[in-house]
């Protein structure tokens, strides 16, 4: 008769002291059985009910994943009422599909998720090869600093979890051009019937933005605007009829005055 216990490492064996070959045969069988039971009890790991319900990969390891992303992003400085896009890459390097991928958008923010985003509701990111992109647009309306945090939630095989990334940006006011015009505009005294006289007027943009849609309007009478062809003191002629002058750039136009014609009188 024998008794084996799997609790601890101690093996207890009780044997009848009575003789007989049958007793010894029974003893050997019981002894071998106890060895098998003790070995089985010593090598079998504990299994919790939580682990029993966790999916496992082909190698028997717990199958779960942690999504990774391409990092935070700084849009630097852009001008108000303009926009800039950046694509974040979300990938699954684990050994289990990531499901129920959801992007949570922060409210009241100059950052928005664009339609060409591929990380959409219902997406399942497969192990190793699974990835998607979240396209964020920064479109500030007023000058200042901006920052927002986006959260991506997903099921990783064990529970719902999240990954977060932060976007930042600076916005500045729209640069404005400013036009300065120099020139004395003195045509002097013109004799009737003499040749036209041209006087240059210099236009300079001393602002931070470009100037466009510039319209020349000469006074009435014998004045007009002419297209110049040569530079004056390295200043090139302005385009006619509507130039574009970039910040800190200059050009000039020629104002022309034609003297009055000689009036003929007839004596009778």
């Amino acid at each position: 008769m024998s008794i084996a216990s799997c609790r601890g490492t101690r093996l207890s064996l009780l044997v009848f002291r009575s003789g007989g070959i049958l007793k010894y045969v029974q003893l050997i069988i019981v002894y071998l059985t106890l060895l098998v039971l003790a070995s089985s009890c010593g090598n079998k790991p504990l299994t919790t009910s939580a682990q029993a319900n966790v999916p496992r990969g082909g190698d028997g390891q717990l199958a779960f994943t942690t999504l990774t992303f391409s990092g935070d992003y700084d849009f630097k400085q852009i001008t108000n009422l303009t926009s800039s896009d950046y694509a974040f890459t979300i990938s699954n390097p684990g050994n289990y599909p990531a499901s129920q991928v959801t992007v949570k958008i922060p409210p009241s923010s100059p950052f928005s998720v664009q339609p060409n985003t591929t990380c959409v509701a219902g997406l399942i990111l497969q192990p190793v090869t699974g990835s998607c992109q979240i396209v964020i647009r920064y479109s500030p309306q007023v000058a200042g600093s901006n920052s927002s945090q986006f959260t991506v939630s997903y099921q990783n095989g064990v529970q719902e979890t999240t990954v977060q990334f932060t976007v930042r940006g600076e916005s500045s006011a729209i640069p404005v051009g400013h036009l300065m015009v120099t020139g004395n505009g003195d045509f002097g005294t013109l004799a009737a019937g003499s040749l036209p006289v041209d006087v240059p007027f210099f236009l300079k943009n001393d602002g931070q933005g470009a100037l466009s849609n510039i319209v020349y309007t000469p006074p009435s009478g014998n004045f007009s605007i002419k297209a110049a062809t040569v530079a004056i003191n390295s200043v090139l002629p302005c385009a006619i009829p509507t130039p574009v002058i970039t910040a800190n750039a200059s050009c000039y136009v020629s104002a022309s005055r034609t003297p009055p014609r000689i009036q003929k009188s007839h004596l009778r």
Side-chain angles (χ1 to χ4, degrees):
M1 187 69 174
S2 63
I3 300 175
S5 174
C6 290
R7 297 180 180 178
T9 58
R10 184 176 180 180
L11 177 64
S12 300
L13 181 63
L14 301 178
V15 181
F16 288 109
R17 296 180 180 273
S18 57
I21 189 169
L22 182 60
K23 295 293 183 179
Y24 285 107
V25 171
Q26 291 176 342
L27 175 62
I28 293 173
I29 294 175
V30 171
Y31 182 76
L32 293 175
T33 301
L34 290 174
L35 288 178
V36 172
L37 290 175
S39 175
S40 175
C41 290
N43 295 332
K44 186 175 181 180
L46 294 177
T47 301
T48 66
S49 59
Q51 288 180 329
N53 294 327
V54 173
R56 295 179 177 272
D59 56 0
Q61 299 298 315
L62 293 182
F64 65 91
T65 185
T66 299
L67 293 185
T68 61
F69 64 102
S70 53
D72 298 339
Y73 186 73
D74 191 344
F75 284 90
K76 305 298 183 182
Q77 188 175 77
I78 68 173
T79 305
N80 291 350
L81 305 180
T82 62
S83 63
S84 179
D85 292 355
Y86 180 77
F88 288 87
T89 298
I90 307 295
S91 56
N92 177 7
N95 59 354
Y96 187 75
S99 60
Q100 301 181 30
V101 178
T102 304
V103 181
K104 298 179 180 179
I105 305 173
S108 303
S109 169
F111 303 97
S112 59
V113 177
Q114 294 306 291
N116 54 337
T117 290
T118 57
C119 296
V120 295
L123 176 69
I124 297 178
L125 295 181
Q126 298 300 325
V128 182
T129 60
S131 67
C132 63
Q133 286 191 329
I134 302 174
V135 181
I136 305 298
R137 173 166 295 178
Y138 178 39
S139 52
Q141 302 298 307
V142 296
S145 300
N146 300 281
S147 177
S148 287
Q149 188 174 70
F150 286 76
T151 301
V152 180
S153 63
Y154 62 97
Q155 288 287 343
N156 69 349
V158 179
Q159 62 184 0
E160 181 180 272
T161 188
T162 59
V163 62
Q164 295 177 326
F165 58 87
T166 301
V167 289
R168 302 178 181 84
E170 297 278 343
S171 58
S172 60
I174 298 175
V176 178
H178 179 260
L179 183 64
M180 291 182 61
V181 180
T182 57
N184 57 26
D186 186 2
F187 290 89
T189 302
L190 300 180
S194 62
L195 295 176
V197 175
D198 297 338
V199 174
F201 287 87
F202 294 89
L203 283 61
K204 180 179 181 179
N205 179 5
D206 62 352
Q208 296 180 338
L211 293 172
S212 60
N213 298 323
I214 299 174
V215 178
Y216 309 114
T217 304
S220 58
N222 299 324
F223 297 93
S224 63
I225 300 297
K226 294 178 58 178
T229 57
V230 296
I232 299 178
N233 296 327
S234 301
V235 179
L236 297 176
C238 298
I240 300 295
T242 54
V244 175
I245 307 177
T246 58
N248 298 314
S250 300
C251 63
Y252 81 94
V253 295
S254 288
S256 179
R257 181 186 180 190
T258 302
R261 295 179 180 180
I262 298 176
Q263 301 293 329
K264 294 182 179 181
S265 59
H266 301 274
L267 298 176
R268 292 182 181 271

